[in-house]
Amino acid sequence: MRFTDPSALPIPDPEDVGATALFLQAFARRTEEALASQYDTLGLALNPPMFIVNNASVVNSGAAVSILDLGTFVNTSNDIYRSNNGTAGDRVFMRTGLWQVGFTISASVTGTVNNNTHRRGRLSIQLNDPVSGLSSETEDLSYTHTEKNVGSATSVSAEKLIYVPPDSARSSGGNYGRFALYFNHGNTSSTMQIAAGGAKVWGFWISDDELIRSA
Amino acid sequence: MGSQTPIFALRYPFETETVDPTHFKNLADDIDAALDLIDVRKAQVLNKPALRLRQETDHTGVASGATAIVTWDTVDYNPNGWWNAGAPTLIALPAGIYQVTVGHAQIFGGTGMVQSALDIQMPSGTTWSRKTTAYSAGVTAGTSHHAVVYTATPQNLRITWSWWGSAGTGTNPSTALAIRQIKPL
């Protein structure tokens, strides 16, 4: 018996004529493997891994504050939505490939507003190698807004494309991300407050890091 | 007689069976049916629901600090019917997770304009995400905003804008909105 390239579908030789039933069995099984591979790949594109998390409780910021640390939970975090990403409340498992990540923070002054002072949000992403336990990659994104003495809720947001490399053992098909969201401001006359749900971090997988063979 | 594969139920004869043309036909029909399923999924992947709308009619007379709701009047892409002219400020989204981008080139007209904001509201009336832009008094500027939104139930999304300054009323001449479904729920 020979096989096609690249899907390895069986092709009977003349001496296989007496084993036609066996050949059909092998053909059916190998065909299913090839079809299932395409179906699963399309399923990944249709429902990509992703997560959205926010702060479940109010955050009061004297000057600088860490809002969300998915590794240690400085503040209680609330998973809005999480898929395929490991244990809830822990690191986020990120499939190898290209991801789009972002954050938004909405904060309000609790008292006196100081004109021309900054409001800054920063998201730090640390990709941990589950084999060595060491940080293999770190990404940062931030946005700074200048208060113009209007006293309204201020919002800072940013997004970025990042590449998640496979872990060093190439056994898990991904890597673990630890996200830390920070907010700081220069409004020295009063504190600022982030309402529950006012800070959000999200990420969604876009594509693999290898070419996928087309049908 | 015979058996079938576990995922797509491709039929094949037992090893001891005498093979006839029916066995080949059954397998061919089952492979066809499996390919149909793959075609459906391909179409879903290649045609993920999306929307693009524009507001091209000037929105005028907005006071400093007021919240103005964007009314969409130009449809570039609306194949899933998320927007309809009967409720021109609302985008009716099915349950799912969406990527939303919205922006306008400038807000002008008010005296001493120093800041503007663009809000993504979902549900309608509740701010999901705001983007603020600050600038020097007398220099007008626009804002662009991008966010990922999530809703477990069908929900209306709308866009609002605001400006802050010392006096007068502001005008928003145009706004563009694009929404892409990342995944359905």
Side-chain angles (χ1 to χ4, degrees), chain B residues 1-99:
Chain B
M1 291 294 288
S3 187
Q4 60 188 32
T5 58
I7 301 173
F8 292 109
L10 307 181
R11 288 170 287 179
Y12 57 86
F14 284 131
E15 188 177 335
T16 55
E17 283 185 71
T18 300
V19 176
D20 63 47
T22 303
H23 292 104
F24 288 91
K25 180 185 184 304
N26 289 343
L27 181 55
D29 286 342
D30 294 343
I31 292 173
D32 238 356
L35 288 170
D36 282 345
L37 290 177
I38 289 175
D39 280 344
V40 167
R41 188 161 270 194
K42 270 186 193 174
Q44 290 173 323
V45 169
L46 294 174
N47 294 283
K48 281 199 172 182
L51 165 92
R52 180 174 153 90
L53 301 174
R54 285 178 286 133
Q55 163 237 325
E56 295 292 356
T57 302
D58 285 5
H59 190 175
T60 62
V62 178
S64 171
T67 299
I69 304 169
V70 175
T71 300
W72 307 104
D73 53 59
T74 304
V75 178
D76 291 323
Y77 189 75
N78 185 32
N80 306 101
W82 291 346
W83 178 88
N84 77 82
T89 64
L90 301 177
I91 316 301
L93 295 179
I97 302 173
Y98 300 84
Q99 197 169 5

Side-chain angles (χ1 to χ4, degrees), chain B residues 99-148:
Chain B
Q99 197 169 5
V100 180
T101 61
V102 58
H104 49 225
Q106 60 170 333
I107 306 294
F108 63 88
T111 303
M113 301 181 88
V114 292
Q115 180 172 300
S116 63
L118 201 52
D119 286 16
I120 297 171
Q121 293 190 344
M122 193 181 71
S124 172
T126 301
T127 295
W128 175 278
S129 177
R130 160 175 285 193
K131 186 70 171 284
T132 47
T133 299
Y135 33 86
S136 302
V139 177
T140 62
T143 303
S144 62
H145 188 183
H146 164 248
V148 168

